[in-house]
Amino acid sequence: MPNRIYRPGSAAIETSPTIDGIPGGSHFKLAAIEFDDMGEAWEKCASISEVDSCQLSRTVDLIRTEKQRAGEVVVVVFIHGWKNNASKQNEEKKNLHDFKIVMERLSRAEAMSVQGVHHTPAYVGVYMAWRGQVVAGDLFATFWNRRYAAQRVGSTDFAESLYRIMGATKENSPSSRIVIVGHSFGARVLETALTNTFVSLLIPRPGSGDQGEQLSPADLVVYVNPATDSFRTKQMIELMQRTGFDVARGQTAGKSPLFLSVTSVGDTATGVAFPLGQGLSAASKSFRSNYEGMPQAPPQKTFFTHTPGHIPYLFSHEVHNTQAPCVSTQDMVRFHARGTCFELAPRSSRWNDTAFWVTTVPKQVIRDHTDIFNDGFATMIIELMKHYQVLDSPQATTMLHRQ
């Protein structure tokens, strides 16, 4: 597949997205921002204030326009993974097609629930695309090639786009919400672009006064079947523990997440292929044998060769079926998937008790590496956001830390 842009100029914005198989008009708007194989934005902005300057400026303008029209906006950003891009074929049957279906489900459910009585926010989906597919019909040959590409893509242009989008969502509108989702190598892109900035937000700046409480630039960050090593996840959890980090969202029950890493137990791409490939690379590297003062932690090499969803030490929660009434309560999120009620609950004994949740899910929730847009997993995320008031809390998502 060529290294090219698929949605230049005005084609980057869809004000009335069409979805095959779903009758009626859509209830959301769609924007696309694309990056080349070196991680540079295909359309370079002369100025963000010039609406027609680039895909990013058009996206920022769309968010601001929708927020002005509706009073507030819910933005969902999706970064695709391996074997995907922003092509017409992708829109017909792959990640872009499925993302549009999820956006319609989310926006339509909200529109139906209010029944015209309460204010309904505008919904905007942002599809951030890169060259995830290089060979048509590829099964596995480009796995490592695309892994290194994902590392390049999560650089300055991508990080700027994310923070411009978050800024446009939150500016003068703390009640507006933004959820960011990265899948597979897209999670690697997202993690690379976000981590260092969130580190700076968790640590008080010298001379800046009280930094114990501040609004979060994002309301929820989700990594689905992340195809990346576990060092950033481990270190972010440790940083949250050192700073006493927590998240406040009005009257939500229990400790709520800011980051959520979810891996299917049926994901062989990250469960088998990833550690095999990383194991070969590990031969040329040096690792410490243990962590002093952390007797339960696995060896350092394990964090290099395995993704977060395959290191139980990092797990904060677990998902299992339940015979209890399928209604969320306290710190239990309950949802239906393929005819069974499941429960997302804290592990009884866990090292990770932070706002960076890590869990696996059964095959009934996510079948394998690519089965991420099914009804069961969508229901799980929607129910989690509902239970912890991610989208409708009277209080904006606020980051708290004690030191």
Side-chain angles (χ1 to χ4, degrees):
M1 305 293 289
N3 183 27
R4 53 159 292 192
I5 186 173
Y6 290 96
R7 299 171 185 272
S10 60
I13 304 297
E14 292 185 49
T15 56
S16 298
T18 58
I19 308 172
D20 292 342
I22 298 182
S26 56
H27 294 74
F28 70 99
K29 305 294 191 289
L30 183 71
I33 305 177
E34 300 174 76
F35 301 84
D36 66 21
D37 212 27
M38 293 295 107
E40 294 196 86
W42 273 107
E43 292 187 350
K44 293 287 189 176
C45 298
S47 171
I48 295 296
S49 61
E50 295 178 14
V51 175
D52 296 334
S53 179
C54 62
Q55 290 178 322
L56 175 58
S57 62
R58 292 176 186 272
T59 299
V60 168
D61 179 69
L62 175 65
I63 293 170
R64 289 171 173 162
T65 300
E66 286 300 289
K67 186 166 57 175
Q68 183 176 17
R69 177 185 65 81
E72 59 188 60
V73 65
V74 172
V75 177
V76 181
V77 180
F78 179 73
I79 302 99
H80 68 73
W82 189 28
K83 302 183 183 180
N84 283 274
N85 50 38
S87 67
K88 184 65 177 176
Q89 179 191 29
N90 208 276
E91 188 171 24
E92 292 172 351
K93 61 181 181 180
K94 299 182 79 174
N95 272 189
L96 181 51
H97 171 267
D98 294 336
F99 177 55
K100 290 168 71 173
I101 291 177
V102 168
M103 284 301 305
E104 179 62 11
R105 175 180 175 181
L106 183 63
S107 57
R108 188 184 292 258
E110 175 68 14
M112 292 176 64
S113 69
V114 299
Q115 297 179 344
V117 176
H118 301 294
H119 178 69
T120 304
Y123 280 78
V124 175
V126 181
Y127 187 78
M128 299 188 72
W130 56 288
R131 197 183 178 210
Q133 183 174 27
V134 294
V135 179
D138 173 48
L139 294 178
F140 188 74
T142 62
F143 184 86
W144 291 104
N145 178 277
R146 293 302 83 197
R147 175 185 180 276
Y148 292 119
Q151 188 74 25
R152 296 193 299 270
V153 172
S155 191
T156 305
D157 280 8
F158 195 94
E160 179 193 358
S161 296
L162 275 179
Y163 283 96
R164 295 277 190 186
I165 292 167
M166 289 189 285
T169 303
K170 295 292 186 177
E171 62 185 1
N172 303 318
S173 182
S175 59
S176 290
R177 300 290 190 262
I178 179 167
V179 176
I180 309 175
V181 183
H183 168 237
S184 182
F185 289 143
R188 183 179 182 86
V189 173
L190 177 59
E191 182 184 61
T192 302
L194 278 186
T195 299
N196 286 345
T197 298
F198 267 91
V199 168
S200 70
L201 294 175
L202 264 65
I203 300 175
R205 297 183 298 276
S208 60
D210 183 14
Q211 290 290 308
E213 179 177 318
Q214 57 186 316
L215 297 183
S216 174
D219 295 282
L220 183 65
V221 178
V222 183
Y223 302 123
V224 189
N225 288 336
T228 185
D229 65 56
S230 298
F231 284 116
R232 281 194 176 98
T233 296
K234 171 180 174 289
Q235 292 169 17
M236 278 295 289
I237 292 169
E238 291 170 342
L239 177 58
M240 288 181 176
Q241 291 172 333
R242 284 195 298 273
T243 59
F245 180 87
D246 207 345
V247 176
R249 291 192 184 96
Q251 302 301 314
T252 56
K255 298 189 69 170
S256 60
L258 182 59
F259 292 86
L260 173 64
S261 178
V262 181
T263 299
S264 168
V265 296
D267 182 4
T268 56
T270 62
V272 178
F274 189 90
L276 284 175
Q278 288 287 91
L280 294 174
S281 178
S284 61
K285 295 174 174 59
S286 178
F287 303 94
R288 63 173 79 175
S289 58
N290 60 72
Y291 289 98
E292 185 176 350
M294 301 169 63
Q296 302 303 317
Q300 190 176 46
K301 182 179 178 181
T302 301
F303 293 102
F304 178 79
T305 57
H306 291 73
T307 69
H310 297 280
I311 302 180
Y313 174 75
L314 297 174
F315 294 177
S316 62
H317 289 67
E318 56 190 9
V319 176
H320 52 79
N321 59 13
T322 179
Q323 300 301 315
C326 211
V327 178
S328 298
T329 176
Q330 296 299 318
D331 54 1
M332 309 286 186
V333 176
R334 295 184 180 131
F335 61 96
H336 281 101
R338 293 186 167 94
T340 301
C341 181
F342 289 91
E343 180 179 271
L344 169 67
R347 299 188 82 192
S348 57
S349 178
R350 55 179 177 161
W351 167 75
N352 174 16
D353 61 352
T354 70
F356 197 129
W357 291 14
V358 180
T359 188
T360 58
V361 294
K363 293 181 181 179
Q364 296 98 312
V365 180
I366 301 177
R367 185 179 62 251
D368 52 27
H369 186 67
T370 60
D371 178 45
I372 64 168
F373 287 105
N374 68 76
D375 286 344
F377 183 56
T379 301
M380 171 183 160
I381 296 300
I382 291 173
E383 179 60 29
L384 180 144
M385 292 193 298
K386 176 183 175 182
H387 185 59
Y388 288 107
Q389 295 182 283
V390 173
L391 300 184
D392 59 358
S393 168
Q395 175 187 352
T397 302
T398 303
M399 302 188 300
L400 311 172
H401 46 89
R402 294 188 295 272
Q403 54 183 309

